[in-house]
Amino acid sequence: MKRPEEAAQWLKARDHFLILTHVRPDGDTTGCAIALCLGLRSLGKDAWIWENPQFSPRFLPRMEGLLRRDTAENATIVAVDMATESLLPKGGEDFAGRFQLCIDHHPSNTFYAADTLLDASCAGCGELLYQVLTALEVEVTPAMAEAIYIAISTDTGCFRFSNTSAQTFATAAACVGHGADIAPINRQLFEIKTRGRLELESRMMAEMDFYCGGAVAICCLPQKLVEQLGVTEDDLDSISGFPRTIEGVLVGAVLRDSEPGRVKFSVRTAAGFNASAYCGALGGGGHAAAAGAAIDGTLEEGKARLLEILRRDKSLWK
Amino acid sequence: MKRPEEAAQWLKARDHFLILTHVRPDGDTTGCAIALCLGLRSLGKDAWIWENPQFSPRFLPRMEGLLRRDTAENATIVAVDMATESLLPKGGEDFAGRFQLCIDHHPSNTFYAADTLLDASCAGCGELLYQVLTALEVEVTPAMAEAIYIAISTDTGCFRFSNTSAQTFATAAACVGHGADIAPINRQLFEIKTRGRLELESRMMAEMDFYCGGAVAICCLPQKLVEQLGVTEDDLDSISGFPRTIEGVLVGAVLRDSEPGRVKFSVRTAAGFNASAYCGALGGGGHAAAAGAAIDGTLEEGKARLLEILRRDKSLWK
């Protein structure tokens, strides 16, 4: 199906729904599930969210009374923000092949569901889901509006990323218009950091080495330190981007030795500098702005190798 | 005047303009000045921005060819985002009493100009200025749209603060629709921190003391450390809020001894905890969520006094 109106018609013709979110659920898949579940219920439908065991505790209060764990033999199975069945939630493997509708915004969607509403122009799947609610003529409540807001703000880094479009802002305007109280959500999602993450950043600043008058920043993150700080994988999330948040840094790299005897490189670069070429020289690859590699050796050896490669880029050392 | 249309009529009737920004110019006053200057020029008017000596270097490239330093005897003097004449820019004191129009969104505006267009419902003055451009029937260019975007994103902390309204988002949507390239602006304004600021945060994390299972965070910031890190007043900006960005912290305080023999307290609290009452007990005051005080003594003495006061709040130590 091509238009939200078709999905709305399809949903209106059915009465029992179970909504699935993807593995390691983020704000987009979770927010979409909440908004769709509440929207369908407001139309008198029987609708539930399958209880993803990895749902973030911060979102659970919004799902009270919406969750169930059984496989709901007779329900229509709908996936939100799930691009492929390889992203099935933990414990939800049995749903493979049973999806009747998928609502998604990933261009990589594999069309695993019997029907798919896909709009890759949406920054967050929540943008598309808002159009479905509108087409369903649902009276959008503050709870639905906040769920949609969580979805779109998550996938745009609070409207900072380049995927943010005029439609994204227009959807956010609609959410506030429908009564979403966004300031506490923004504080929870975009302002607060865990002590572990802040301590990690603090130690990374202390360990950061700068070259080229500050244009290159390299940080070695020993596994010993990670364990000592007791930081979680959540805390480590996006840490590769940290050196590039420092003013003047054009090439930022984080080196880790989480696997003994191996060094893993994460390189992030400004426009005009090719992370993929640097990592290619180390046997890795990726995109121009973000790439990775892994070699045998210690952190010190890895750093020396990387510096050697960076030194060959004349545009950096002028 | 009450409506943007009146301001537009007024502006249309004049031909020579000099636009003034406030002291310590932020993105809102600067963005408004750029958008208004470009908008007036697009209508064939002679318009300039008075060269505020404190303009941020990050915004100067957007003002090339728009700046002049003389007092323009024959021009119509317009202030943007300036609430009172006590906020005149450095070196611009002679403009006092000469303002013919002020476009502003501060409820504290003193109506110092001959005419004032004030709308305190706007999160940023840029929101109001966009309405003026629309009323002027200006064809909004990407450069104007980016200036408006800088204005509104600055005053809302990239749409995070509670002043962000549906109209704010709708204005942002319009900016993107008019060709504003927002991702580089967002990176520059909201992602990048100076090395000084990051080193400061790093040292603050190391010095931070937690009480009440992490609900209270107190950081003493010795002037010696500030000087040793060579951090600027810009880097110190908003540092009072830092402890409250740590997960679980309900009461955060920063203590400084920038004046010898005195301790200055900045206290920030979550809803339900009264910063003003804590600081009141130290002879200071402020708002429920943010307050300050100063007493004679050392940082250690100040911290002991504050803890004594916080210990009396039973809701915190349960």
Side-chain angles (χ1 to χ4, degrees), chain A residues 44-221:
Chain A
K45 311 279 185 188
D46 170 58
W48 298 87
I49 299 170
W50 190 76
E51 191 174 353
N52 190 325
Q54 294 180 307
F55 273 138
S56 165
R58 56 168 54 144
F59 297 134
L60 286 178
R62 297 179 183 275
M63 292 189 268
E64 257 186 44
L66 305 183
L67 298 175
R68 63 194 284 176
R69 198 65 216 264
D70 64 278
T71 52
E73 289 306 328
N74 299 315
T76 299
I77 314 290
V78 181
V80 285
D81 192 42
M82 192 195 297
T84 81
E85 288 193 339
S86 65
L87 296 171
L88 277 167
K90 279 194 182 170
E93 293 76 11
D94 286 352
F95 288 105
R98 289 184 57 205
F99 289 95
Q100 284 152 278
L101 178 64
C102 170
I103 300 174
D104 190 23
H105 70 129
H106 293 97
S108 56
N109 189 291
T110 57
F111 298 95
Y112 58 89
D115 269 301
T116 301
L117 175 69
L118 178 73
D119 185 348
S121 78
C122 291
C125 189
E127 246 173 86
L128 181 56
L129 204 97
Y130 179 73
Q131 295 170 34
V132 173
L133 291 186
T134 305
L136 278 168
E137 295 172 87
V138 159
E139 197 170 313
V140 178
T141 62
M144 293 178 212
E146 289 179 3
I148 296 282
Y149 182 82
I150 287 169
I152 61 175
S153 63
T154 295
D155 264 27
T156 58
C158 205
F159 312 99
R160 283 185 297 111
F161 303 160
S162 57
N163 59 353
T164 308
S165 71
Q167 180 180 278
T168 316
F169 280 124
T171 309
C175 290
V176 176
H178 287 297
D181 184 14
I182 64 167
I185 296 172
N186 291 337
R187 178 168 158 76
Q188 188 182 43
L189 300 186
F190 306 109
E191 217 164 291
I192 291 177
K193 295 184 180 182
T194 63
R195 262 169 86 169
R197 169 70 188 228
L198 282 165
E199 269 160 20
L200 184 68
E201 289 185 3
S202 166
R203 292 296 290 270
M204 284 179 77
M205 269 313 282
E207 305 293 324
M208 193 85 63
D209 285 315
F210 295 92
Y211 304 89
C212 284
V216 172
I218 302 180
C219 179
C220 293
L221 193 54

Side-chain angles (χ1 to χ4, degrees), chain B residues 159-231:
Chain B
F159 311 100
R160 283 185 296 111
F161 303 160
S162 57
N163 58 352
T164 308
S165 71
Q167 181 180 278
T168 316
F169 280 124
T171 308
C175 291
V176 176
H178 287 296
D181 183 13
I182 64 168
I185 296 172
N186 290 337
R187 178 168 158 76
Q188 189 183 41
L189 300 186
F190 307 108
E191 217 164 292
I192 291 177
K193 295 184 181 182
T194 63
R195 262 169 85 170
R197 168 71 189 228
L198 282 164
E199 269 160 20
L200 184 69
E201 289 185 3
S202 166
R203 292 297 289 272
M204 285 179 77
M205 268 315 281
E207 305 293 326
M208 193 85 63
D209 285 315
F210 295 92
Y211 305 89
C212 285
V216 172
I218 301 180
C219 179
C220 292
L221 193 54
Q223 187 60 16
K224 249 192 305 192
L225 178 63
V226 170
E227 283 163 18
Q228 178 198 321
L229 291 175
V231 294

